[in-house]
Amino acid sequence: MLTRYKRIVLKLSGESLMGNSSDGFEPFNAAIIEQYANDIKTITDSGVQVALVIGGGNIYRGANEIETGIERAHGDYMGMLATSINGMAIQAMLERIGVDTRLMSAIKMEQVAEPYIRRRAIRHLEKGRVVIFAAGTGNPYFTTDTAGSLRALEIKADVILKGTRVDGIYTADPEKDITATKYETITYQECISKNLKVMDMTAFTLCMENNLPIVVFDMNKPGNLLKIIEGLHVGTLVN
């Protein structure tokens, strides 16, 4: 099968693993993780090299230091551990359906993950393994959006696919404003001038300065990932 992209970074939020669940005590929705795993397997079977970066907001999200008493750097390290738990969860599901994976961490945790080494990550991808990047960049004050952009550039990915629960970028939040309209394509400069929150500014600037395209799409709709890989128009393309 001819594919538009040969190597991708798929960026997922931690909250996406909860699906539509509002139960704060249940960080994972098994059906959603299974759907994600099946969608990923479909494109890896077609020869696409896939790297994953997952947030940790379903388990821990950095809160106001004044309210919690947890300083920012300490809280960010807690968030890195949360991303590792999420990485292990989706790794387990991928392995269960026959996808070979490697979990690579930016902080040392030898018993559960390999240390992140750029050349080793690329070699895993070349061998057809799904590589899951955990623990962000390994540094506080940086988000997993930034980790996704950084890793995509390091492994020379063709695109960042940002899976969300909305089907693209809109003029306003479509969940709050029914008049919001969707952009089919948009430039980096337009996103900045219109103050559209595609990613945090550090991550977005990395993509813009290195001409790395971003596709924002609805990951919760089965088959969307394959459609993007096949070159069909899904979501919003930023370039």
Side-chain angles (χ1 to χ4, degrees), residues 53-106:
V53 175
I54 308 174
N58 56 319
I59 298 172
Y60 180 82
R61 176 173 290 282
N64 189 310
E65 181 177 336
I66 296 175
E67 293 177 359
T68 64
I70 299 173
E71 63 174 319
R72 169 68 187 273
H74 190 91
D76 283 354
Y77 281 115
M78 292 169 66
M80 291 177 211
L81 297 179
T83 70
S84 302
I85 293 172
N86 285 340
M88 292 175 70
I90 201 160
Q91 179 186 37
M93 185 64 75
L94 285 165
E95 295 276 358
R96 195 179 83 175
I97 63 174
V99 180
D100 198 11
T101 68
R102 291 294 186 273
L103 179 66
M104 305 190 83
S105 173

Side-chain angles (χ1 to χ4, degrees), residues 37 40 67 76 80 101 109-110 114 123 136 154 208 221:
I40 292 167
E67 293 177 359
D76 283 354
M80 291 177 211
T101 68
M109 47 181 75
E110 291 91 343
E114 296 181 11
R123 187 62 179 143
E154 286 182 304
M208 180 173 65
K221 185 175 180 180

Side-chain angles (χ1 to χ4, degrees), residues 32-209:
I32 284 291
I33 296 178
E34 185 174 10
Q35 179 221 307
Y36 288 178
N38 284 324
D39 282 348
I40 292 167
K41 184 179 189 301
T42 299
I43 65 170
T44 57
D45 286 347
S46 69
V48 177
Q49 298 174 12
V50 180
L52 279 172
V53 175
I54 308 174
N58 56 319
I59 298 172
Y60 180 82
R61 176 173 290 282
N64 189 310
E65 181 177 336
I66 296 175
E67 293 177 359
T68 64
I70 299 173
E71 63 174 319
R72 169 68 187 273
H74 190 91
D76 283 354
Y77 281 115
M78 292 169 66
M80 291 177 211
L81 297 179
T83 70
S84 302
I85 293 172
N86 285 340
M88 292 175 70
I90 201 160
Q91 179 186 37
M93 185 64 75
L94 285 165
E95 295 276 358
R96 195 179 83 175
I97 63 174
V99 180
D100 198 11
T101 68
R102 291 294 186 273
L103 179 66
M104 305 190 83
S105 173
I107 56 178
K108 290 184 179 180
M109 47 181 75
E110 291 91 343
Q111 285 79 3
V112 296
E114 296 181 11
Y116 170 70
I117 299 172
R118 174 180 171 271
R119 289 181 181 273
R120 184 182 292 178
I122 292 172
R123 187 62 179 143
H124 286 322
L125 291 167
E126 290 172 344
K127 289 183 176 181
R129 298 163 181 157
V130 171
V131 178
I132 304 164
F133 295 125
T137 66
N139 301 287
Y141 298 97
F142 292 95
T143 68
T144 50
D145 276 350
T146 300
S149 300
L150 179 62
R151 297 290 181 251
L153 293 170
E154 286 182 304
I155 66 171
K156 300 186 184 302
D158 300 318
V159 67
I160 293 182
L161 305 182
K162 183 168 182 178
T164 67
R165 62 184 183 184
V166 294
D167 62 343
I169 301 172
Y170 283 75
T171 54
D173 186 342
E175 296 180 345
K176 298 178 181 178
D177 185 351
I178 60 173
T179 65
T181 57
K182 177 184 168 184
Y183 294 101
E184 300 299 321
T185 61
I186 191 169
T187 67
Y188 302 111
Q189 289 79 10
E190 286 177 306
C191 287
I192 293 172
S193 65
K194 297 177 186 295
N195 197 30
L196 300 174
K197 305 296 183 183
V198 179
M199 291 179 166
D200 74 75
M201 188 53 67
T202 302
F204 192 77
T205 302
L206 271 174
C207 293
M208 180 173 65
E209 290 181 346

Side-chain angles (χ1 to χ4, degrees), residues 9-17 36 53 145 160-168 199 214-220 225 228:
V9 166
L10 177 60
K11 170 63 176 68
L12 301 172
S13 68
E15 288 92 337
S16 68
L17 302 185
Y36 288 178
V53 175
D145 276 350
I160 293 182
L161 305 182
K162 183 168 182 178
T164 67
R165 62 184 183 184
V166 294
D167 62 343
M199 291 179 166
I214 307 163
V215 177
V216 180
F217 72 107
D218 182 1
M219 184 65 185
N220 289 349
L225 187 58
I228 293 171

